Amino acid sequence: METNNVLTALAALAHSVRLTVFRLLVQAGPEGLPAGRIAELMEMPASSLSFHLKELHRADLLTSRQEGRSIIYMAHFETMNGLLGYLTENCCGGVPCLPDAACKVGETAGKSR
């Protein structure tokens, strides 16, 4: 994934509404959700939601399809996986990362509170 695409995706996700919408679509899986259902779940007017959907679409984080009178939105998993891959590309100096449960740094940080 190119750095400019990563920056665009991260900028799109750096808003609480868009991050919540994206996570909703990830949970929905490949079937996605109709725009009306997303608006219901987000408890926001469709007009406000459409702005956020447009930003996620521009960042290539979601795709859509027409189904009758509804537009169904789906997370674009290829972009999501590319973003995660970019962020973790050099993780742990090239050595396979340990599972979170084996991470002692997290345990130590939690005990110091």
Side-chain angles (χ1 to χ4, degrees), residues 57-73:
H57 194 272
R58 188 179 67 79
D60 200 30
L61 288 165
L62 59 80
T63 59
S64 61
R65 71 178 185 275
Q66 188 81 34
E67 203 171 274
R69 293 179 55 200
S70 297
I71 299 176
I72 309 299
Y73 289 93

Side-chain angles (χ1 to χ4, degrees), residues 5-19:
N5 301 95
V6 169
L7 292 172
T8 301
L10 290 174
L13 292 172
H15 187 283
S16 62
V17 169
R18 290 191 290 271
L19 181 59

